[in-house]
């Protein structure tokens, strides 16, 4: 019976290591054993007479302690995990306790007292199992009905009876998720390069994780040249990717969606300000992709700015505002985090103080209370850290936590809409659910309003900000689309008709090797819809605005096909040198202990992951016996045949001398 609703854990590589899981080249098969409590592991690890075992694991037991026990034995051939429902009350995070450790700004040379989360452990529930290497396949079972089929087969065939071992036939399962390549990104990419160079039919064994950053500006940027060095820009940023132990099961409600939805709502509110095009400073709205994997997106943008391959330079950035997990506020408090090391410079400190004061003034009279996290508190792991590595930029990161994350399901499959309190009345149709304004949407709209008003002030606006207001209805539509159902009427109305195929049912925000992913496309088109200018153009003029005398092409401008011209552009979210060819310096990017590291993530190419259950295979002992008997019979028949025909096969040739003439 093929299982249709599953998700594998895949093999990933960085500059020095491999993590994740894979099966053997032909898949792994084992006798099913259901583990619903830790005591059940004894049968698998020691007592059971029919190894290897394929374990069906209760989701509440899917933790580091259990996995490390299974990792250390040859009696386990694979693991199928039944998702826990409801989500584990104690929390679950397969990520690291110190996310992106070693790739941010803090190091032995910059704030060593803050490096490696010495001051604050941001993700105390992090087990780190996403960064372990397992030599057997691990799959998630998403369908409870399929899980029940496996359990029933186990109960019918595999349960020990009266204290004795179960007898054949036994119920078994096969997991297939074989991937190519080994060791590290450097090795893998080199092998792919050699295959492409010398093979007639090259097999690409791995690809770099890549996608696109999405960015837009409040005021147009002309494509004829770079932004003037004297022109100051306020940069607003957030991430749009998430992660989990299982491939493409990354809802990221608190980890990503709450932040970028708030960001989009703030962009819409600021664009509606009447004097927005006349503000002294421009505002750049930036959405980074691939930040989970050592800041891929922000690293690329910083690199492009430094190499003069981006319209802006680092010197153009006046200040930096980032949204990072904002849905789980404790009461009304939103925390403002700054970098204590750069603030030791008096000039930077003065600018940061002005930034904090502007944000605090913008929250006056709202349901949001902004508080500073403290001068001695380091930055959490946001994209801003990659910019600080290049230049001391005044900046602030807004979060719902002062120290450890409020999110108990960081980088896990349980970071769902329920985690951020999204609730709908029963009986609503999909269209009614799309339009229903939840309490979560109202709370995030309040945060977006504060951010939009603060950006207006930072950009030099002097008028009253009371009219700058984020729309809760827009926020609730975005939350529904990005967390519950992408294929909805609003998303259908704002994307190009030829891209409607990207609208799957269940939204996921996992960065991939094929790009752009659905989230990237949708963030771009939502940003276009919320901030674009409605114009009176024909379809041909909209698709080719440079041919129309009424429009002017701008950097990053793309026609949406629905009557908007917008500046929501895409920029590479691919680490420098990860385009398939190795840079000479990449061979030296494998760190020793304590060295600063450069990220370099790749994913192994894999055949389709196919779990199958249940099967009733020949037990290995019987298979060995039958093979031996077959060989014996074949040997006897061969011996009999040779003996019977010996006079023909082994007769001596006639003496050539005895010839009659």
């Amino acid at each position: 019976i093929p299982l249709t609703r599953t998700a594998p854990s895949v093999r990933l590589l960085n500059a020095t290591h491999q993590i994740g899981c894979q099966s053997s080249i032909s898949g792994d098969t084992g006798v099913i054993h259901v583990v619903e409590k830790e005591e059940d592991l004894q049968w698998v690890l020691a007592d059971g007479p029919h190894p290897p075992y394929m374990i069906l694991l209760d989701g509440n037991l899917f933790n580091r302690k259990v996995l490390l026990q299974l990792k250390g034995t040859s009696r386990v051939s694979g693991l199928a995990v039944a998702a826990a429902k409801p989500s584990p009350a104690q929390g679950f995070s397969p990520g690291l306790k110190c996310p992106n450790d070693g790739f941010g700004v803090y190091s032995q040379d910059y704030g060593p007292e803050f490096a490696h989360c010495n001051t604050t452990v941001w993700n105390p529930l992090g087990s780190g199992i996403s960064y372990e290497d397992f030599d057997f396949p691990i799959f998630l079972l998403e369908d409870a009905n399929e899980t029940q089929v496996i359990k029933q087969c186990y109960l019918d065939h595999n349960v020990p009876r009266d204290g004795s071992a179960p007898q054949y036939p036994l119920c078994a399962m096969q997991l297939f998720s074989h991937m190519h390549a080994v060791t590290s990104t450097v090795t893998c990419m080199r092998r792919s390069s050699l295959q492409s160079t010398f093979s007639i039919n090259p097999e690409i064994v791995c690809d770099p994780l890549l996608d696109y950053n999405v960015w837009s500006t409040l005021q147009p940027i002309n494509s004829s040249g770079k932004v003037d060095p004297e022109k100051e820009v306020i940069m607003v940023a957030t991430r749009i990717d998430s992660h989990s132990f299982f491939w493409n099961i990354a809802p990221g409600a608190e980890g990503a969606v709450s932040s970028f939805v708030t960001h989009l709502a703030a962009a819409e509110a600021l664009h509606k300000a009447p004097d927005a095009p006349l503000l002294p400073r421009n505002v750049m709205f930036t959405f980074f992709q691939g930040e989970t994997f050592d800041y891929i997106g922000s690293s690329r943008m910083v690199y492009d700015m430094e190499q003069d391959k981006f319209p802006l330079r680092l010197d153009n950035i006046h200040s930096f505002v980032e949204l990072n997990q904002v849905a789980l506020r404790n009461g009304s408090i939103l925390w403002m985090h700054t970098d204590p090391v750069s603030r030791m410079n008096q000039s930077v400190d003065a600018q940061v103080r002005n930034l904090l004061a502007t944000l605090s003034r913008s929250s006056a009279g709202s349901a949001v209370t902004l508080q500073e996290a403290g001068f001695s508190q380091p930055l959490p792991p946001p994209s801003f850290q990659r910019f600080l590595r290049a230049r001391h930029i005044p900046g602030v990161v807004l979060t719902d936590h002062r120290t450890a994350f409020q999110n108990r399901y960081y980088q896990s499959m349980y970071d769902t809409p329920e985690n951020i309190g999204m609730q709908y009345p029963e009986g609503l149709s999909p269209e009614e659910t799309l339009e229903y304004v939840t309490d979560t949407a109202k709370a995030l709209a309040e945060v977006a309003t504060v951010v939009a008003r603060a950006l207006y002030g930072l950009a030099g606006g002097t008028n009253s900000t009371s009219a700058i207001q984020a729309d809760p209805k827009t926020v609730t539509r975005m939350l529904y689309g990005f967390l519950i159902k992408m294929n909805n009427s609003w998303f259908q109305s704002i994307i190009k008709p030829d891209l409607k195929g990207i609208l799957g049912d269940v939204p996921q925000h996992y960065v991939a090797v094929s790009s752009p992913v659905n989230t990237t496309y949708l963030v771009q088109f939502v940003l276009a819809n919320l901030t674009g200018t409605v114009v009176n153009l024909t379809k041909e003029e909209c698709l080719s605005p440079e041919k129309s005398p009424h429009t002017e092409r701008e950097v990053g401008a793309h026609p949406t096909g629905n009557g908007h011209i917008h500046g929501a552009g895409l920029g590479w979210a691919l680490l420098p040198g990860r385009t398939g060819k190795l840079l000479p310096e990449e061979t030296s990017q494998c760190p020793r202990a304590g060295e600063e590291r450069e990220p370099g993530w790749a994913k192994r190419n894999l055949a389709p992951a196919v779990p199958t259950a249940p099967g009733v295979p020949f037990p290995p002992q019987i298979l060995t016996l039958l093979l031996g008997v077959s060989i014996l019979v074949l040997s006897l028949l061969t011996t009999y045949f040779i003996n019977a025909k010996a006079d023909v096969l082994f007769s001596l040739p006639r003496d050539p001398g005895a010839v009659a003439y």
Side-chain angles (χ1 to χ4, degrees):
I1 303 175
L3 305 177
T4 56
R5 293 194 58 199
T6 62
S9 173
V10 298
R11 185 75 83 199
L12 294 167
L13 312 170
N14 69 5
T16 56
H17 295 82
Q18 65 179 27
I19 62 173
C21 316
Q22 73 165 359
S23 72
S24 61
I25 194 166
S26 57
D28 291 309
T29 303
V31 174
I32 295 174
H33 190 74
V34 175
V35 175
E36 295 180 325
K37 53 186 182 298
E38 284 198 41
E39 291 75 14
D40 296 336
L41 289 172
Q42 181 64 24
W43 183 266
V44 173
L45 298 176
D47 298 343
H50 305 123
Y53 285 96
M54 190 67 68
I55 298 175
L56 176 59
L57 186 69
D58 184 274
N60 290 295
L61 291 177
F62 186 57
N63 55 52
R64 184 177 183 85
K65 178 183 176 183
V66 170
L67 284 180
L68 291 186
Q69 289 184 68
L70 302 179
K71 182 179 178 179
T73 177
S74 60
R75 292 173 58 88
V76 175
S77 59
L79 186 63
V81 181
K85 292 182 180 180
S87 301
Q90 71 275 16
F92 174 77
S93 174
L96 299 171
K97 292 183 182 295
C98 190
N100 286 347
D101 184 24
F103 298 95
V105 67
Y106 300 116
S107 65
Q108 292 180 353
D109 301 321
Y110 188 99
E113 66 274 24
F114 304 126
H116 311 301
C117 295
N118 286 335
T119 303
T120 303
V121 177
W122 297 106
N123 185 32
L125 292 176
S127 64
I129 58 174
S130 285
Y131 297 87
E132 291 287 340
D133 182 25
F134 298 95
D135 59 0
F136 53 80
I138 303 179
F139 275 71
L140 175 69
L141 303 178
E142 300 180 69
D143 190 338
N145 292 327
E146 291 184 342
T147 302
Q148 188 56 43
V149 168
I150 301 171
K151 284 185 177 180
Q152 190 59 50
C153 188
Y154 164 79
L155 293 173
D156 292 342
H157 297 278
N158 295 9
V159 175
R161 306 294 180 185
D162 301 323
S164 61
Q167 300 300 311
Y168 291 106
L170 298 174
C171 187
M173 179 161 58
Q174 181 184 54
L175 298 179
F176 179 81
S177 60
H178 181 69
M179 281 154 269
H180 309 293
V182 291
T183 309
S184 67
T185 297
V186 175
T187 302
C188 186
M189 298 295 282
R190 182 171 62 246
R191 291 178 179 176
S192 289
S193 178
L194 289 172
Q195 287 251 15
S196 301
T197 304
F198 298 109
S199 176
I200 297 176
N201 297 308
E203 180 183 23
I204 304 301
V205 293
C206 63
D207 288 306
L209 290 177
L210 61 91
D211 209 287
Y212 293 89
N213 298 321
V214 181
W215 62 273
S216 175
T217 52
L218 181 65
Q219 300 164 1
I221 298 176
N222 197 291
S223 62
S224 60
K226 304 293 181 181
V227 173
D228 190 287
E230 284 74 38
K231 181 67 175 178
E232 293 182 325
V233 177
I234 312 299
M235 191 166 184
V236 198
T238 191
R239 67 174 60 190
I240 58 176
D241 66 295
S242 186
H243 186 223
S244 81
F245 187 87
F246 298 100
W247 177 254
N248 216 28
I249 304 295
E254 162 73 343
V257 177
S258 68
S259 303
F260 73 70
V261 162
T262 303
H263 188 168
L264 288 164
E268 179 192 33
L270 184 58
H271 266 270
K272 289 181 178 178
D275 57 339
L278 306 175
L279 293 173
R281 299 188 184 98
N282 204 346
V283 179
M284 179 176 172
F285 306 100
T286 313
F287 301 82
F288 292 121
Q289 183 62 277
E291 294 300 275
T292 298
F293 296 102
D294 308 334
Y295 306 114
I296 290 177
S298 55
S299 297
R300 181 57 188 245
M301 183 169 284
V302 170
Y303 174 83
D304 286 345
M305 287 182 174
E306 291 178 325
Q307 300 298 317
D308 208 20
K309 296 180 179 179
F310 195 79
L312 272 69
R313 302 173 182 84
L314 289 169
D315 292 340
N316 291 117
I317 301 176
H318 171 270
S319 52
F320 199 106
V321 178
E322 181 168 357
L323 295 163
N324 192 321
Q325 300 190 59
V326 294
L328 297 178
R329 285 183 288 150
N330 186 7
S332 63
I333 299 175
L334 197 65
W335 295 96
M336 301 183 291
H337 299 263
T338 59
D339 173 40
V341 180
S342 61
R343 289 184 66 179
M344 293 179 183
N345 180 294
Q346 291 185 354
S347 174
V348 173
D349 184 57
Q351 291 175 287
V352 171
R353 289 181 183 276
N354 177 64
L355 179 57
L356 296 173
T358 303
L359 282 163
S360 296
R361 287 195 301 270
S362 301
S363 66
S366 73
V368 179
T369 302
L370 287 171
Q371 291 187 16
E372 189 175 353
F375 189 83
S376 61
Q377 178 78 12
L379 285 170
S383 306
F384 180 41
Q385 290 203 27
R386 292 300 288 188
F387 285 81
L388 279 177
R389 284 181 57 164
R391 183 174 175 270
H392 282 181
I393 299 172
V396 62
V397 179
L398 301 178
T399 73
D400 54 22
H401 54 89
R402 181 180 181 274
T403 53
F405 295 159
Q406 296 274 49
N407 187 6
R408 295 178 300 139
Y409 306 108
Y410 180 72
Q411 291 187 356
S412 88
M413 57 188 170
Y414 301 116
D415 191 7
T416 59
E418 292 76 18
N419 186 35
I420 59 173
M422 287 178 61
Q423 296 180 339
Y424 296 91
E426 293 183 4
L428 295 183
S429 67
E431 201 62 28
E432 291 171 335
T433 308
L434 172 68
E435 300 293 337
Y436 181 81
V437 180
T438 62
D439 291 340
T440 302
K442 294 175 184 177
L444 292 180
E446 292 168 352
V447 176
T449 297
V450 171
V451 172
R453 291 175 178 178
L455 294 175
Y456 177 83
L458 291 170
T462 56
N463 296 332
S464 171
T465 59
S466 58
I468 299 177
Q469 188 77 37
D471 186 358
K473 179 157 285 191
T474 300
V475 174
T476 208
R477 285 176 172 179
M478 289 191 286
L479 289 174
Y480 179 82
F482 285 113
L483 286 175
I484 296 176
K485 188 177 183 181
M486 276 188 170
N487 194 10
N488 62 73
S489 60
W490 188 54
F491 277 2
Q492 290 172 0
S493 70
I494 64 176
I495 67 171
K496 294 193 293 185
D498 58 331
L499 289 177
K500 288 187 178 179
I502 70 172
L503 297 177
D505 284 334
V506 181
Q508 300 298 342
H509 310 292
Y510 202 124
V511 65
V513 296
S514 58
S515 62
V517 296
N518 301 8
T519 305
T520 304
Y521 271 126
L522 288 169
V523 167
Q524 182 190 16
F525 283 101
V526 170
L527 182 60
N529 183 265
L530 298 181
T531 64
T533 303
V534 179
V535 291
N536 185 21
L537 296 176
T538 65
K539 179 180 178 180
E540 290 70 24
E541 289 173 331
C542 188
L543 293 173
S544 302
E546 69 277 357
K547 296 180 182 179
S548 171
H550 307 294
T551 62
E552 182 176 338
R553 174 68 80 178
E554 301 159 1
V555 169
H558 298 275
T560 66
N562 59 3
H564 286 70
I565 293 291
H566 68 94
L570 298 177
W572 275 108
L574 169 67
L575 287 170
R578 304 296 173 186
T579 55
K581 295 182 179 179
L582 291 172
L583 296 178
E585 63 269 22
E586 282 192 298
T587 56
S588 64
Q589 288 184 346
C590 304
R592 298 182 181 88
E595 287 187 339
E596 184 178 287
R597 294 173 287 175
E598 285 296 329
W601 285 95
K603 173 180 170 286
R604 290 185 175 188
N605 287 346
L606 69 160
V610 184
T612 308
V616 184
F618 281 115
Q621 298 92 331
I622 295 179
L623 185 63
T624 302
L625 175 62
L626 291 178
L627 183 61
V629 170
S630 300
I631 293 174
L632 175 62
V633 171
L634 181 62
S635 300
L636 292 173
L637 290 174
T638 303
T639 303
Y640 174 79
F641 174 78
I642 293 174
N643 186 61
K645 302 294 183 179
D647 56 333
V648 177
L649 296 173
F650 305 109
S651 62
L652 295 174
R654 181 179 296 178
D655 184 0
V659 179
Y661 292 95

